[in-house]
Structures are given as C-alpha cells and as structure tokens.
Amino acid sequence: MALALVFLLGVGLIIFPLADGMPKKTQGVDNVQNTFRDGMSVEGLKTSRDDLVTMQAMLKQLKTETIPQLAARNNQTPDQFMVLLGAFPAVKKGLAEVDTIMPRFEAVVGTMEAQGENFRKADEIPTADVPNTAVTYTFLIPGIILAVVGGAGLFFSIRGRRSVIPTVALGVSVAMGALLVAGTLATDQIDKTKSAEKMFNAFRPVFTEAKYQQMHEDMQTLTAFANEMQTKAIPTLATLGGQSPDQYTAGMASQYQALGKGLKETPRILARFNGMVEDIGRNIDSFKDADSIPSADTPVSQVPWYLLIAGIGLIVIPGAALLPLGRKEEQAD
C-alpha cells in the first residue's frame, strides 16, 4: 500500500507542473526579474526617486517662479506670457498636463519603493543563484525518482519473492520526503513566496495594457515638452533678451537652480523613465504568466505547501511501513 502511494505521488509531482504550464510561467518570472532587477535594487530605487524629485522641482519652479518673473520683466501677466509660449504647442501642452502626469509617475515609483524588499526576496526563489525556472524541476526530479522507486518496489513486492528492493524503495522515499521538507524550509520558500504574492498584488494594476498606454503617452508628452523647450522656446526667449541660448540658459540656471539642474538632467531622466515604461509594456504577458503560479485563482504562497505536504506524507507513510509491524503488513499485502 505504501509503495503504491509513493508511485502515485511521484506521478502526481510529474503531472502537476506540466499540466499547470509551470515551465512557461516560471520563465515569465525570470523575464520580469531579469528586466527590473537593476531598477528594483536599493541603488536603482534611489536613482528613480532622485530623478523624480529633480523633475518635480524643475517643473514647480518653472510654473511658480520662472514664468511669473519672466512675464514681469516683459511687463506682462503670466497669462500673457503663456500666450507667447503658445507658439510652442508641445511646451504649452506639457505645462498644462504636468500636474496630472507627475502624480501618476509618483504613484508608480512609490509602488516600486514599497515593493523593493518583496521583489528582492522573490528574486531568490528558489535560491539567489538559481533561476525561477528551476522550480519546475523541484517537482519533476523528485516525481521521477519516486515514480521509479515506487514502481520498482511495488513490482518486486507484488512478485512475492524475498527482495530487499521494496525495503530500499521505502527508505529512498522517506529520504526524499525529508529532503523535500528540509529543502523547502532551509531555503525559506514560504516567506519568499509570501513576498512574491505581495509584489504581484501591488504591481497587478501597473502591468496592464491600459496603464502602459497611459504612461507611454505621458512620456511622449514630457519628451516633446523638453525637446521643444530646449530647441525652440529657450532660443526664442534668448533672442528676445538679446542673448545667445547658452548665455540665457546659464543665466536661468544661476537664478533658478532647480530649473537649471532639471534642464541639464532632463534628457537622461526622461530616457531612463522611458526605458522603464517600455520595459513594462514588453513584460505585460510575462507578468501575467508569473502572476498565475500555480493558477490565476490560487496564490503563489501555496506552492511550498505542495512540497511540504508531499514530503511529510513520504516521511510518515513509507516510514511507518518500514517499522517492524508495518513491514509485516506490507509483505502481507
């Protein structure tokens, strides 16, 4: 009886990951982790926050100090000065929409910061040096061994001849059970998968086609705003002030430090954020695959329990069969 259960459990451990599509799903995990590992590191998150603060400070100073003061110099109201800027449609559009766009990026960066530790823990499933695709084999390899051992032991047991193979098969099954339990606990799979579950829950609204399209459009607006500001608006304002664009920019940077810093760093910042947005778009399907381990309706935190329960069962049932009373009953069967 014990050997039959060992055989069936082995078959189950083989069928489960294959029927569940785990190879594809775990590849989705690796795709997401590999893409965002640098950005979700402590250093990467700090850079994202610093870049966001730089952009926010630049835009705030531009709207609340620079434009009103430039307007005053020209004996204009801020609204009248904005009419002048209306000759630059991308600048006008950007100024009109930044108060809506920046909070959306603030929300995404805030989510990244909140989930940084969970991401790094989930990135160590099954271990820090082994890719997530190996999770499939934590089911397949024990399953194959148990199916072979259980089947061989059952075969020789049914033949009725004296053989050590059934006893060896039971011993191997107990050892495999102990390995499953010890391996799951030693590598802290329960805590890691709980972190992965929290991360999936937090990022689920981000990895959607609608959210990606919105962020993509926001990045186009910000990029067009920055390009037109640098290549058209500032040279025009410099000409009106009787200066070269470099002189005008240097003067503004000296008087409006947040604006000056922002203008200098904006190309790098926007390129970095644009890369992040496009990475999200490219990984929507991979995230969905990862988020469906073991299934769309079952949290990933349950996966370690499948191995733990199987391991405990292997320790208890074949272990009991190895006891003197159990051996007699097993032989009788």
Side-chain angles (χ1 to χ4, degrees):
M1 180 64 178
L3 289 169
L5 290 174
V6 169
F7 174 76
L8 291 175
L9 182 56
V11 173
L13 289 175
I14 295 171
I15 293 175
F16 164 68
L18 298 180
D20 188 57
M22 193 170 286
K24 181 174 182 287
K25 293 177 180 180
T26 53
Q27 183 60 61
V29 175
D30 280 343
N31 291 344
V32 172
Q33 297 283 8
N34 292 338
T35 300
F36 294 96
R37 185 173 292 117
D38 290 340
M40 291 295 288
S41 67
V42 174
E43 296 79 8
L45 291 173
K46 183 180 184 302
T47 299
S48 294
R49 172 54 60 186
D50 290 345
D51 287 348
L52 191 62
V53 168
T54 296
M55 286 291 295
Q56 289 170 328
M58 177 192 74
L59 293 168
K60 180 180 179 181
Q61 189 168 60
L62 178 62
K63 294 188 71 173
T64 63
E65 296 180 38
T66 309
I67 289 176
Q69 291 178 18
L70 289 177
R73 291 178 190 174
N74 292 332
N75 296 318
Q76 295 176 313
T77 65
D79 288 340
Q80 290 173 325
F81 190 79
M82 287 299 295
V83 172
L84 172 63
L85 292 181
F88 311 104
V91 172
K92 182 179 180 181
K93 184 175 188 290
L95 288 173
E97 295 185 15
V98 289
D99 289 341
T100 302
I101 292 174
M102 295 311 293
R104 290 200 281 255
F105 280 98
E106 169 67 37
V108 173
V109 172
T111 299
M112 292 171 63
E113 290 172 326
Q115 296 304 315
E117 184 176 354
N118 286 329
F119 180 98
R120 292 187 289 274
K121 284 184 179 180
D123 195 25
E124 295 182 356
I125 297 173
T127 68
D129 301 321
V130 178
N132 198 271
T133 47
V135 170
T136 300
Y137 298 97
T138 64
F139 288 88
L140 285 180
I141 293 175
I144 293 170
I145 293 173
L146 291 170
V148 172
V149 167
L154 190 61
F155 173 76
F156 283 98
S157 178
I158 292 173
R159 288 184 63 185
R161 297 179 182 179
R162 282 188 168 275
S163 174
V164 298
I165 292 180
T167 302
V168 171
L170 291 170
V172 172
S173 300
V174 172
M176 181 59 68
L179 185 62
L180 288 176
V181 172
T184 301
L185 296 178
T187 56
D188 200 19
Q189 297 304 306
I190 294 176
D191 186 53
K192 290 176 181 178
T193 53
K194 285 182 179 178
S195 294
E197 185 179 330
K198 293 175 183 176
M199 180 188 71
F200 288 141
N201 290 338
F203 280 113
R204 198 169 292 128
V206 176
F207 283 85
T208 65
E209 187 64 30
K211 183 65 175 177
Y212 162 67
Q213 290 297 338
Q214 181 186 71
M215 291 191 294
H216 180 75
E217 291 174 7
D218 288 345
M219 283 306 309
Q220 287 184 317
T221 297
L222 291 176
T223 300
F225 162 78
N227 288 340
E228 193 170 64
M229 175 68 77
Q230 294 274 16
T231 61
K232 295 182 179 180
I234 288 178
T236 298
L237 293 173
T239 299
L240 292 175
Q243 295 178 309
S244 70
D246 288 342
Q247 290 174 322
Y248 191 80
T249 300
M252 285 203 302
S254 176
Q255 186 174 358
Y256 308 106
Q257 295 181 359
L259 176 63
K261 180 181 179 183
L263 289 174
K264 180 180 179 180
E265 297 189 20
T266 290
R268 176 192 62 79
I269 293 173
L270 291 181
R272 186 172 183 274
F273 274 94
N274 187 65
M276 179 185 73
V277 169
E278 294 308 311
D279 282 343
I280 289 173
R282 283 189 291 268
N283 280 274
I284 291 174
D285 289 338
S286 291
F287 183 88
K288 288 179 180 178
D289 286 337
D291 193 25
S292 62
I293 298 175
S295 69
D297 301 321
T298 306
V300 68
S301 57
Q302 290 193 14
V303 172
W305 290 100
Y306 299 162
L307 295 174
L308 280 177
I309 292 171
I312 293 170
L314 288 168
I315 293 171
V316 173
I317 298 174
L322 282 172
L323 297 175
L325 179 60
R327 286 298 305 135
K328 292 179 182 178
E329 293 177 352
E330 187 75 17
Q331 291 172 356
D333 292 342

